[in-house]
Amino acid sequence: MGEQIHYRACNLCEAICGLEIRVRDGRIVSIRGDAHDPLSRGHICPKAVALQDLHEDPDRLRRPQKRIGERWVELGWDEALDEVAERLAAIRRAHGGNAIGVYMGNPSVHNWGIMTHSGAFLGPLKTRSRFSATSVDQLPHQLVSYWLYGHQLLLPVPDIDRSRHILMLGANPMASNGSLWTVPDFRNRLREMQARGGKLVLIDPRRTETAEVADEHHFIRPGADAALLLALLQVLFAENLVRPGRLADFSDGLDEVGRLVAPFTPERASAVTGIAAGEIRRLARELAAADAAAVYGRMGVSTQAHGTLCQWAIAMLNLVTGNLDREGGMMFPQPAMDLIQGPGSKPGHYAAWRSRVRGLPEFGGELPVAALAEEILAPGEGQIRALVTIAGNPVLSTPNGRQLERALGALDFMVAVDCYRNETTRFADFILPPTGALEHDHYDLIFHHFATRNSARYNAPLFAPPEGALHDWQIFVALGRRLRARLRPDAGQPLLRRLTARLKDELMLRLSPQRLLDQGLKRGPYGRRAAERLSLRALRAAPHGRDLGPLRAALPRRLCTANRRIAALNDALREELARYDTVLAEQQVRAPRAGELWLIGRRHVRSNNSWMHNAQRLVKGKPRHQLFMHPDDLAARGLHDGQRVRVRSRVGAIDVEVQASDAIMRGVVSLPHGWGHARPGVQQRIASRHPGASANDLTDERCLDALSGNAALNGVAVQVEAAPDDTSRHAAAVSSQSSSSPEFVA
Ligand SMILES: Nc1nc2c(c(=O)[nH]1)N[C@H]1C(S)=C(S)[C@@H](COP(=O)(O)OP(=O)(O)OC[C@H]3O[C@@H](n4cnc5c(=O)[nH]c(N)nc54)[C@H](O)[C@@H]3O)O[C@H]1N2
Ligand SMILES: Nc1nc2c(c(=O)[nH]1)N[C@H]1C(S)=C(S)[C@@H](COP(=O)(O)OP(=O)(O)OC[C@H]3O[C@@H](n4cnc5c(=O)[nH]c(N)nc54)[C@H](O)[C@@H]3O)O[C@H]1N2
Ligand code: SF4
Ligand SMILES: [Mo]
């Protein structure tokens, strides 16, 4: 058999790079960037080769697993699916729908079959106990988009290819390759912008890989971005630099925004951010003066105590400078399969119900995952007794992972749809493993909504799935059928309603992702246009993908609000602004207490959340899970570079190696999440040899963005001291010196 070349979009991160994969005799021989991909232009990162490692990984599960005590046995699909459906149905009958919790993890949005068909399984459960990685990530973005533009997925992205100025906060695209901004080849796109005379200004408590290529970098105290962003707005209004232009025709409340931000002066912001008031004024003036500018903030500003306020202020900065929906500013992509304007669109809803124990608001049908453990542990009506996880590892990804472990241990039943037995799925009674990514076809349903250039590509599978294997979507259909047979979810409804409901069900169970895609493409904006006539067939004929051009102005047409206008404010935001004024007045955004440091996260281009440390090619070399700490903070504690330290927070303690770094702000320490593989029962042999410690054994389930319930994973107060088992040469000297308290220094 000769060599075959496959073209495929990488599904590992949001950059969705086009790959050229060569296969000989059924084995991958190379993975390269596809130079003809209209979006990624040949860009690739070191993780792409992990697609092969994942495909071949002997630890990847290929048949259903059942846990009997401490032992795992393999069983057939029918047997496994029957038993899972039976157990879930029994729990639902005995305790009601909300007794079954659901957690969906990050790869769900990178796997289109999960997107199209998880409802076939989760629908009949009829549970409000739904959670996902959204609430440890981008929830504030979605909430703000829902409020302002009427749809949770209507998110603008920097139009970097035509921009002249980007103000970026709490994002590190040089490591992450972009997020809620599909921007493959970021480095070269930035170079091109800089060559046009454009400028990137970065705000981050660490001088990151992105800071190295930025034109300007400012340290900021973790969790203080809202003060900075509101001060930028204040300057624009105070200095008469507000120029919304045509946006004013369909925006309401901008004058009130001006009044409400008036108290947030650069001087107040300076006190909490550590950035000089004069610098803040200059940043605002430069933003206003740029021909085309974009303000963009990501993880670092979403997962903090006022994440929604931050995202709102960012949206306002783009709006009042006239940069929203402007070429080179923040623009709305137009995907070929449009989940915003297409049929079945889910705009979102907020606080339609609240979590049982803490009263946290739902958003779009999901509760904040910081409440998952307590919803399992606290007895009472509606207590979660069974859990379904789909493509998620919340033990390593959500705050206070140790508490969640205790909760998982207390469940009556757990099932995981997942390809590994990892820190979370080891608690399951059943693990149902889907086919691997290269064994199914791929269309990116989500990330074209956030892509810096419009394009579309569909890729056929590289390999036939093993005999009898099921794709994620087929697992959902199979479970859905079994649940419906056992639960008759519509019993009690009138006959006609029942029949139409079943017909709809049946249709959904029969429609494949491919059929849905084909219909979506044909009905979508490029399917109807003569120039493109997009359909599944058209995409099959274009293996490198179809270029659909640069981003185009979309407002007010694409607004989903009832009156097709942008409402800059609502009562929840007004209250939050008032609350934040008090927070600043009472100095609640303050320097750490004696000896405390602020913990923030970190990403590395060779790692991806928690689940790719079982690829030897990615974990080889120097470990990448150290705690970064400023040399002055080390010295103040009598600690030294390379030593093992104990990091403590309100919720727990971990031991890690510390690395001195003057790229981190004084008073701040940084640790990547997704490590901590030394837990018993994990079957990831390579990862277990590179365990690291879990940052989320330190993050606090009580630290939230109050408006959205998003976890405040950044800016967690910790203490750092020598680890008790540290045997390095300085260890003995440490304990007597560790009480000195560093001042917070910007
Ligand atoms: N402290 C701290 N915590 C964080 C973050 C942080 O920056 N700091 N980041 C947060 C963010 S942004 C995110 S998105 C979350 C991620 O949190 P999660 O989504 O909970 O965790 P992942 O590590 O992505 O785990 C993915 C799981 O999906 C499985 N999987 C992979 N592909 C497939 C597939 O195709 N089908 C199925 N069924 N399973 C699959 C893997 O085996 C793994 O178990 O972590 C969050 N946690
Ligand atoms: N290589 C790699 N790529 C990834 C992932 C991965 O794990 N590895 N994960 C993917 C996922 S799920 C996501 S959501 C994206 C995330 O994509 P990004 O948001 O671009 O990635 P992060 O590295 O988390 O960047 C957050 C930045 O915020 C900074 N920060 C922390 N606290 C604060 C603060 O209080 N204020 C400010 N201004 N900055 C702060 C951190 O120092 C960090 O540089 O990356 C995706 N891509
Ligand atoms: S940046 Fe790397 S992991 Fe992300 S899509 Fe591109 S090749 Fe895949
Ligand atoms: Mo994420």
Side-chain angles (χ1 to χ4, degrees):
M1 208 161 57
E3 191 175 86
Q4 295 162 290
I5 305 180
H6 292 265
Y7 298 97
R8 187 179 181 90
C10 177
N11 64 302
L12 294 175
C13 90
E14 298 177 42
I16 64 173
C17 301
L19 306 178
E20 180 200 281
I21 308 181
R22 287 174 191 261
V23 178
R24 201 179 301 141
D25 302 327
R27 266 210 89 196
I28 293 174
V29 291
S30 74
I31 299 182
R32 298 202 184 95
D34 176 3
H36 300 292
D37 184 287
L39 176 62
S40 63
R41 322 183 303 190
H43 174 78
I44 192 173
C45 90
K47 284 184 299 301
V49 298
L51 283 173
Q52 175 180 12
D53 300 343
L54 291 165
H55 179 69
E56 294 170 359
D57 189 349
D59 288 335
R60 184 163 63 84
L61 304 174
R62 283 154 175 95
R63 283 167 54 79
Q65 314 273 312
K66 178 180 182 178
R67 184 166 54 81
I68 302 169
E70 298 295 291
R71 222 160 44 82
W72 287 89
V73 294
E74 279 192 7
L75 68 174
W77 274 104
D78 279 331
E79 205 186 331
L81 293 165
D82 284 342
E83 203 175 328
V84 167
E86 193 57 50
R87 295 284 301 271
L88 288 174
I91 288 167
R92 196 179 184 289
R93 277 192 293 264
H95 303 287
N98 296 345
I100 301 174
V102 176
Y103 173 85
M104 294 186 66
N106 169 276
S108 307
V109 288
H110 296 274
N111 177 326
W112 70 306
I114 299 186
M115 296 312 299
T116 55
H117 279 74
S118 56
F121 167 39
L122 303 178
L125 290 178
K126 288 207 189 314
T127 173
R128 284 185 167 183
S129 303
R130 291 194 54 171
F131 306 84
S132 80
T134 290
S135 48
V136 280
D137 190 347
Q138 80 286 0
L139 177 53
H141 294 250
Q142 289 182 238
L143 179 57
V144 166
S145 276
Y146 165 67
W147 277 340
L148 264 50
Y149 319 127
H151 201 291
Q152 56 177 331
L153 295 180
L154 197 53
L155 305 175
V157 301
D159 182 21
I160 187 170
D161 293 344
R162 289 175 292 189
S163 192
R164 308 280 295 190
H165 186 100
I166 298 180
L167 172 60
M168 184 183 291
L169 305 98
N172 186 11
M174 287 297 287
S176 69
N177 282 294
S179 182
L180 296 186
W181 182 21
T182 288
V183 59
D185 204 17
F186 168 77
R187 178 72 190 94
N188 284 316
R189 292 188 135 102
L190 175 65
R191 273 205 191 102
E192 289 160 16
M193 182 183 98
Q194 288 164 330
R196 289 194 301 274
K199 177 172 177 180
L200 171 64
V201 179
L202 182 73
I203 313 287
D204 197 301
R206 182 167 76 88
R207 197 168 61 245
T208 60
E209 298 79 358
T210 302
E212 298 296 340
V213 297
D215 300 276
E216 200 176 306
H217 166 245
H218 299 265
F219 284 123
I220 187 167
R221 216 229 63 200
D225 296 81
L228 169 66
L229 291 159
L230 293 172
L232 292 173
L233 278 170
Q234 191 271 352
V235 175
L236 294 177
F237 279 97
E239 300 191 0
N240 197 16
L241 297 171
V242 168
R243 302 271 184 286
R246 60 184 268 275
L247 300 168
D249 299 345
F250 46 86
S251 301
D252 296 313
L254 296 187
D255 293 340
E256 191 187 352
V257 172
R259 286 197 299 280
L260 292 181
V261 300
F264 298 99
T265 59
E267 282 67 26
R268 283 177 92 191
S270 180
V272 293
T273 59
I275 304 174
E279 285 290 89
I280 296 174
R281 291 203 163 82
R282 181 178 63 78
L283 290 173
R285 289 172 194 148
E286 285 187 12
L287 176 68
D291 309 332
V295 186
Y296 162 81
R298 202 38 209 103
M299 269 300 283
V301 284
S302 293
T303 51
Q304 61 168 272
H306 296 276
T308 300
L309 189 56
C310 287
Q311 291 303 337
W312 173 80
I314 287 171
M316 286 303 115
L317 284 168
N318 287 309
L319 183 57
V320 304
T321 53
N323 281 305
L324 183 72
D325 201 40
R326 168 194 284 176
E327 286 187 10
M330 290 293 273
M331 299 199 82
F332 296 96
Q334 176 58 71
M337 166 110 181
D338 191 349
L339 301 184
I340 295 165
Q341 261 141 355
S345 165
K346 293 185 181 137
H349 40 80
Y350 172 68
W353 59 87
R354 287 181 177 270
S355 70
R356 178 179 62 104
V357 178
R358 230 190 304 176
L360 300 177
E362 65 79 37
F363 177 74
E366 288 179 4
L367 294 166
V369 70
L372 175 56
E374 69 204 21
E375 293 295 329
I376 298 171
L377 290 169
E381 174 87 33
Q383 180 184 9
I384 295 177
R385 292 161 188 274
L387 184 69
V388 178
T389 66
I390 297 170
N393 191 3
V395 163
L396 294 193
S397 324
T398 67
N400 201 350
R402 290 290 179 190
Q403 183 198 30
L404 184 60
E405 281 182 326
R406 284 193 295 281
L408 298 185
L411 287 167
D412 292 347
F413 183 66
M414 177 173 161
V415 54
V417 182
D418 204 290
C419 30
Y420 284 104
R421 192 190 307 149
N422 62 21
E423 298 73 14
T424 298
T425 60
R426 71 199 161 105
F427 287 97
D429 297 283
F430 284 86
I431 305 177
L432 305 177
T435 53
L438 303 180
E439 292 162 352
H440 58 75
D441 55 358
H442 183 63
Y443 178 86
D444 206 299
L445 273 181
I446 297 296
F447 294 101
H448 289 296
H449 288 77
F450 314 129
T452 220
R453 186 176 180 89
N454 294 320
S455 69
R457 75 184 298 163
Y458 168 84
N459 304 113
L462 250 79
F463 301 112
E467 179 76 25
L470 297 179
H471 304 310
D472 281 278
W473 72 271
Q474 293 172 320
I475 298 174
F476 302 140
V477 168
L479 282 173
R481 281 193 193 286
R482 283 167 171 81
L483 277 176
R484 283 180 164 84
R486 284 166 175 83
L487 288 173
R488 302 244 158 260
D490 50 3
Q493 305 258 358
L495 183 66
L496 196 65
R497 286 265 296 270
R498 231 153 57 200
L499 286 176
T500 41
R502 285 202 195 148
L503 209 70
K504 263 172 69 185
D505 261 16
E506 197 48 42
L507 219 69
M508 144 117 126
L509 293 176
R510 275 167 198 265
L511 275 181
S512 62
Q514 294 78 13
R515 279 287 295 282
L516 290 166
L517 174 63
D518 189 44
Q519 289 177 3
L521 290 172
K522 285 176 177 158
R523 285 185 202 148
Y526 309 94
R528 297 187 304 254
R529 263 219 302 263
E532 283 107 3
R533 285 263 175 261
L534 275 199
S535 63
L536 183 52
R537 209 168 131 171
L539 286 187
R540 279 187 198 274
H544 303 285
R546 285 276 292 266
D547 187 14
L548 301 170
L551 305 183
R552 280 188 280 268
L555 298 191
R557 180 179 50 84
R558 243 161 113 66
L559 291 175
C560 302
T561 44
N563 58 2
R564 292 247 163 153
R565 295 176 67 80
I566 299 171
L569 282 161
N570 62 21
D571 285 342
L573 288 163
R574 289 184 188 98
E575 277 164 31
E576 174 72 351
L577 281 160
R579 192 158 48 220
Y580 196 63
D581 191 40
T582 317
V583 165
L584 288 186
E586 293 176 356
Q587 294 282 301
Q588 290 172 40
V589 182
R590 48 152 181 76
R593 273 186 281 269
E596 269 178 6
L597 297 155
W598 301 106
L599 176 70
I600 62 169
R602 183 168 87 236
R603 282 177 160 78
H604 191 281
V605 75
R606 303 185 75 90
S607 172
N608 191 31
N609 295 331
S610 77
W611 66 285
M612 282 171 50
H613 300 144
N614 213 42
Q616 183 59 36
R617 288 188 280 188
L618 293 186
V619 291
K620 71 178 182 210
K622 206 160 105 23
R624 297 183 193 92
H625 40 65
Q626 297 95 335
L627 183 79
F628 286 176
M629 191 165 175
H630 193 277
D632 293 354
D633 287 329
L634 279 171
R637 289 164 181 73
L639 300 172
H640 65 92
D641 179 50
Q643 173 174 356
R644 275 187 81 70
V645 293
R646 175 153 295 181
V647 190
R648 281 188 289 118
S649 72
R650 183 191 74 83
V651 309
I654 59 171
D655 291 352
V656 284
E657 190 185 308
V658 73
Q659 183 173 318
S661 168
D662 63 7
I664 189 129
M665 193 173 181
R666 288 190 195 81
V668 179
V669 287
S670 144
L671 188 71
H673 76 286
W675 298 88
H677 307 301
R679 270 108 156 137
V682 170
Q683 187 189 301
Q684 291 192 301
R685 279 164 287 187
I686 297 171
S688 298
R689 287 201 294 273
H690 304 265
S694 177
N696 287 316
D697 289 351
L698 298 170
T699 56
D700 192 331
E701 83 283 4
R702 292 188 200 161
C703 295
L704 302 177
D705 164 35
L707 267 187
S708 66
N710 204 40
L713 302 168
N714 286 301
V716 177
V718 296
Q719 300 273 355
V720 180
E721 66 213 16
D725 65 351
D726 179 48
T727 49
S728 62
R729 67 208 147 86
H730 297 278
V734 163
S735 52
S736 60
Q737 293 174 15
S738 60
S739 59
S740 64
S741 54
E743 286 300 288
F744 171 76
V745 193

